[in-house]
Every structure is written in C-alpha cells, then in structure tokens.
Amino acid sequence: MRHPWVSRIALAELGVLYSVLSRGSLARVSNRIAVNRPVLLALVALTCAMALTVADPTLSLAALTAASVLGSCVALAWIVGRIAAWQDRQRRTVLHDLVGHDLLPSVITDHAGEVVFCNAAATKRFGGADGQTLGSLLKGALAAPAPILTRLHIKAKATGAAREDVVTRNGHLRINAQRLGTDDCLWRIEDIPDPPSDGRPARMAGLDIAMLTIGRGAAILSMNEAARRLIGLRPKALDRLCADLPLRPGQIQPITTAQGTVPCLVLESEPAAARREVYLLPMPANPEAERDTADLNEDWRYFDALPVPLLKLDPAGTVLMSNKPARDLLGFRPQTENRLSDLMEGLGRAISDWLIEASAGRAGPHSEFLRLTRADSEVFVQVTLNKVNDRGQPALIAVLSDATELKTLEAQFVQSQKMQAIGELAGGVAHDFNNLLTAISGHCDLLLLRHDQGDPDYADLVQIHQNANRAAALVGQLLAFSRKQTLRPEVLDLRDTLADLTHLLNRLVGEKITLTLTHEPVQQAIRADKRQLEQVLMNLVVNARDAMPRGGEIRIETEAFHLREAMERDRVTLPPGSYVCVKVSDHGHGIPADKLQKVFEPFYTTKRTGEGTGLGLSTAYGIVKQSGGYIFVDSVVGQGTCFTLLFPGHDLLPAAPAAPPAPVARGPGPRYGDGVVLLVEDEAPVRAFASRALRLRGYTVIEADSAEQALKTLEDADLSVDIFVTDVIMPGMDGPSWVREALKTRPDVRVVFVSGYAQESFGDAQASIPNSVFLPKPFSLDDLTETVKSQLH
C-alpha cells in the first residue's frame, strides 16, 4: 500500500534542509538553524511518528531513515555553524586589536550593515554602539548617509575597497570602505582640510552668486545657496550640469538649471589642492534683450568681491568698471579714465577693431593673448570678451587671466620671440629712418622740379629717388613682418582680387610655369588691405616658382571653410566660424621637416646668396596675422609645398544706390594755394622740405618746431589757420594732444597727422579727433600736397 503524502512530507523536509544549508557562509547557516530550530525539530518528530504509525515496513524504514538523516544534518550544520562563529569571533578579535587604538574613527559592520565593532575614536566621535546600523551611527554627521554607504559597500564588495569625499555642514569627510572576508566591512572616517582659499569663501559668503567647488574627475563637491537655487537638484558631476564640456572660463556656456537651459558666464579661480571654485553668472538668452529674473546690473555690485579679474567695457574700449583682482593685475587706479588699448598691446591689429567686432557679435568668444603696457614688469594676459546688455546699451565683459607662466604660452612665444627681435628693431628705428627717407626723397623731388630730362644731373637724381623708394619698401617689409605697419583694410572678394592680379602673376612665373586658379562658386568676402594681400600672394607665388626651376604648375585655390568647433594646429587655436581659405601649392623640391618651422623667421632662406632676402615669408606672416588671419605650411620633400591662408569671413557690403548725376560746376574747381597751413615738425630737414613743397603749391605756411610753439602761435586770435600738418611723436607734447587743445578754440580746422610709426600706435587717439587724416612717412611732394588739397576741399 502506497502513501503519497508520506513521500511529499519527506521531500518537503529535504527541501527545507537544502534551503537552509545552501545559503551563504557557515555563520549564516548557523544563524538560520538557530532561528528555525523549532521547525526543524518538529519535522524530525513528525517523521518519527509517521515511521511508527505506518504499517508498511518499507515506508516505515524510509521514514526513519529520512528522520535520522535530517537530524544528523541539522546537528552537523549546527556544529559547523558554531565552529564558523568561533572563527569569526577570533578574526574580529584580531581586527579589534588592530583598529581598536586607531586615532581615526573605525567601524566594522556585518553583511546586514549592523555595527559589530566601534573603536574608541568612533565611539567618542559618533557615540557608536554595537547592534545599530552604520547609517544611524553617521546620521548626525551626514544629512543622507544611506545612498553614500550603499554605494561604497557595493563598490568595496566588488573591488575590495572604495573611497569617497563628502562635504558636510561641518567640513569635508573622507569615508573609506574595505571588504573583510565574505560579508564584513571595515569603515574608516577621516577629516580632510578645506582647500586653501586665500580668503575667497569668506569674501563670497555673503554674495548671491552661484559658486561650486569642483574636485577630481569633474565631481561637484559643494554648492552654495545661490547655486542650489539656480540649479535646483544637486548634481554629482559637471556632465549633469553642462552638456558642452569642458567648462571654458571667461565664456558664456549653456547651464542646466531648474528653469531649463540658461546661458551663464563661467568664471574660475586658480585651482588649489586638486579643487577649483567655479562661479556662474546668468546671462540673458538674447544679448539684445534685458534679463527678466535678475537684471544684469544687480550683478555689477559683486564685481569687486569676485576672485577673477573682470573689466566692464563700452564698445569703444573705455573701462567702465573693474574689480580689485583686475586692477592689481593691470596696475591702474580706478579713479582715472582708462582704455583697453592703453593697458595692453600685442594683438597685431587695432584693439578698437577687435572691440567693434566683439560688440557686433562677429568675433566670437575666443581668447586673445596680449601683453600689458605696465613698465614695472612684463605680464601676459589672456583676454576673453563677451557681449552683454547693460540697461539697454551694449557692453563687453572682459575676463582676464594671468597667462605669463602658462607652459603653453611659453611654447607659443618661443618662436615669436625670435621673430620679434627684428620687428622691435624695425619699430624702434622706423621713426628716425623714415624721417631721413622723407628728407632724402623730398629734396630729390624738389631738385627734379628744376631739372628736365636733358639735364646731365637728371639721371643721377632719378637713381637717388629710386633707391630711396627701395629703402622705403625695405622698411615697409620689416614693419610688415613686425606687424606694425599701417593697414587700410577693406571688404574684398578674393575672386576679384585674384582676377586683377592674374596678369602680374603670370608675368612673375614665366613661360615654364603654369598658373592655375580655382574658385569655389559661393564664398564670403574677407576684410584686409588689398595692396598688402597682393604682396602676400606675390611672395608665395615667387617662392613656388623658385622651387620648380624646371617648370611645373602652381595652383591657387579659394574655398569656403567652416569650423563647427575649435580647431588646434601648430599651437594655434582657431575659433569656430566661417573662413575663406586660400591655398598656394607647388610640386617643387619641398622643405625638410627640421626647417619647416623656421620658414617664417626673418632673413631665413634656403636660397643661395644673392637670390633672396629671407623677408618674403616673414612679411607674408606679419601681414596675415595683422589682418586677423592664419597661415600654415605643409610640405613633403620631393613632392611639393602648400601654404594655407585662413581669413575670417565677412558679408559683402550692399552695393550703394546709384548717385544722381552731379550738376556741372560752372566755377573753377579745387586748386592749390587756397589756405593757411600750420606745419609742426621737430625734424628740421623734414620741416624744410614740407614747407617748401607747400609754398610751391601756393599755400601760406607757418612753421613750428614743437607743439608748445604751435599753441603759442595760435594764441593770436586774429591769426587764421585752415589746416594743421603735424608730426605725431615729438619731444614734449605729442601731436594728438596739442591738436585737441587747439581745437577747443578752433573747432573747424582740418588736421593731417604725419608719422614714421604705424597708424595703429595712435589710431584710437586719431579716431577721437574730427576731420583728421593720416599720412605715413616717407611721403613725396605730391603725396603731401594732394593730402592737404583733399582735406581743404
């Protein structure tokens, strides 16, 4: 007779035993047996009772066997569990002795997170006691310990150890977790000092500016109240805060906040102890619109407390506001009126042009490296301009950082220092040298007026005049390399420029060389000096021709080039935007790699003596950089060389409407000799030539050898003067200064500034003087008289 229910009970007993014995370590088995002992003993008694009541001897024997096996296994498991518990106690005793006297708070927890041991330091610090969980133990130190402890426990169980730095209301804590055996975990809690702050947190504590402390791996360690209010939830890392990483100090970047994505000006203090402080200043999404939530003008009061050097500028470059770090860096007093062009130099073009482009939103948020003009030390700064709206008026925020000791800047200027040597020399002697050339060529012009072609001396005078012009061209090349020459930029279509230049280029390359021009159908215009750009192209074409003495093909290609993100090449970073690319390539012998970085150095040439001056490529380099562009070279020995020029794209100006036909003038047209000229020049030879030249054209000339003498002459109220012709750099008061003084009583007088220096050196000063033009030295008789004539008429 079969009893299925007996079999089912026996199988259930074996299942219970298996479930108890198959889970985890021996210590856990012992605990489960202790908990389930009444149930297990009841099962053994039930099995014995079944064995006695069943008539079938086979089933009775099977029941007794199952009962004995179950009882034996329970007894064996209980014994083994006791042994395992004894081993755990011995191991914990050793650990207790090891960490019991540790000065750092140390805690041992079991698999359930319950505290099985606290050393004296932990008991004193947290009031620890066995039996409570680690989370409850640390609740007084951490606001929400459970997520942190769970994260560390999981990581320690998987890798053996884990560590995390936590910011609390009382400072920074470092929590270390280490796996012990299979289930236990050793926890050590230590205080870590706050990073050196130079007083910044104390200064920022009362300010309502969002501030974050960033640690290693872009982890956000702490946020002040303003940051929590701006951002909302507490992100753990920067990638949750900004999708456009890395953060670029000084630029406006999109930040994820409680109100959505908000553009913020990112500022960053100097890093210390692997930590850095980041400040977020919300900006209007549309720079032309006012900010609704918190007007930008409310943030100006925080300027002086921010640890990052900041300037607030108007579009003309006047410093409207500065904070203390900026004043310390630049070395000026806030009470005086300062202009950015007076505080720094070295941009390679007029700083006013850069400011105008930034105000119009064309320059982009890229940075420029400039040199401060302070005399006590040589300091380089990285300047980032951002366009903002200040009570309906456009303004610029300049974020400065001291770049003097940056390794990247040092590498970037190694080459430029060598190239700058001849530029500084040229700039230093340009004034005196151009004065000499002006006197030589000017008096030669006067002599040529008194000699005709049949005169025996005429050919000698022509030689003197031609060589003076060659000397002037050489000075122009040196100034072009040093990026100190006067440029007259205009918006150009490169295709038209090359079309006008093609005939001359074909004559330059000769019959053995084929010149091929390729243009992309649609491309933007560029802004450059047409004459200087033609000089660059001619220099590159001549070099390509000389690289192919047996003939070949020179290709000039123009194309549109758009950068979606910044590109780095040859230690130069090109900001995103639209560019016009010009490539001049040949199939000549190429340039070896070790000489490739020297090709832009002045007087460096691979040609034989007498075949080149070594100024062609250095001149091209200076012109391109001064025009705001970039020039790169690629070459393979035996295959050829390609020079790549990149210019920022500009929109073509709309064609001006056709002017109505001018009425036919019935009276006499403009003529020479109508006017009184006050000529102010400290160099006697130049003054003598200019005075004679103007008198020859019929003008009345009053001479002065200094600005002070000119002002004294103008004290005569009955003296009528129509135009000032003045040198810019003179002993005592300079040209723009005395002209401003004179115009207070004679506002209608026209002005012609002459100088051997580049117009950039005083371009901002001239721009503030109405009805003024610039005439660079050396100038000819016709240049001077025509300029005066055009100003007066």
Side-chain angles (χ1 to χ4, degrees), residues 1 11 85 302 304 308 357 361 379 382 395 490 548 567 644 659 778:
M1 180 179 180
L11 290 174
Y302 302 140
D304 214 46
V308 181
E357 290 182 359
V379 179
Q382 184 180 12
E490 56 184 302
M548 299 185 295
M567 181 182 77
T644 302

Side-chain angles (χ1 to χ4, degrees), residues 664-701:
V664 178
R666 298 185 178 276
R671 56 191 177 87
Y672 293 110
D674 292 339
V676 178
V677 181
L678 176 57
L679 175 64
V680 185
E681 171 61 63
D682 62 309
E683 288 287 338
V686 177
R687 188 172 67 251
F689 152 65
S691 175
R692 288 181 60 188
L694 292 170
R695 288 193 176 101
L696 281 174
R697 292 292 190 255
Y699 294 104
T700 301
V701 181

Side-chain angles (χ1 to χ4, degrees), residues 265 300 303 310-313 384-386 388 395-399:
L265 177 62
W300 301 137
F303 246 41
L310 296 173
L311 298 175
K312 176 186 173 185
L313 310 169
T384 305
L385 296 179
N386 288 278
V388 296
L396 294 170
I397 298 297
V399 182

Side-chain angles (χ1 to χ4, degrees), residues 76 265-266 327 347 422 435 652 730:
L76 179 62
L265 177 62
V266 179
R327 294 191 294 272
L347 182 61
I422 191 65
N435 279 335
L652 280 171
M730 296 180 292

Side-chain angles (χ1 to χ4, degrees), residues 520-598:
E520 189 171 298
V522 180
Q523 58 183 249
Q524 289 183 287
I526 67 170
R527 189 169 183 267
D529 186 315
K530 182 177 180 180
R531 181 175 60 87
Q532 297 295 338
L533 180 61
E534 291 174 346
Q535 181 67 48
V536 170
L537 294 172
M538 285 191 292
N539 287 354
L540 296 178
V541 168
V542 167
N543 278 354
R545 177 202 65 188
D546 295 342
M548 299 185 295
R550 298 182 181 180
E553 180 186 21
I554 299 175
R555 294 184 62 85
I556 302 179
E557 304 171 73
T558 64
E559 61 183 2
F561 184 75
H562 185 75
L563 280 179
R564 296 187 179 275
E565 56 185 22
M567 181 182 77
E568 293 188 5
R569 178 174 177 182
D570 298 346
R571 300 192 303 272
V572 175
T573 301
L574 278 73
S578 297
Y579 296 86
V580 177
C581 176
V582 184
K583 294 182 179 180
V584 180
S585 56
D586 63 67
H587 300 287
H589 45 68
I591 305 172
D594 60 330
K595 298 180 179 179
L596 201 59
Q597 298 301 321
K598 300 180 181 180

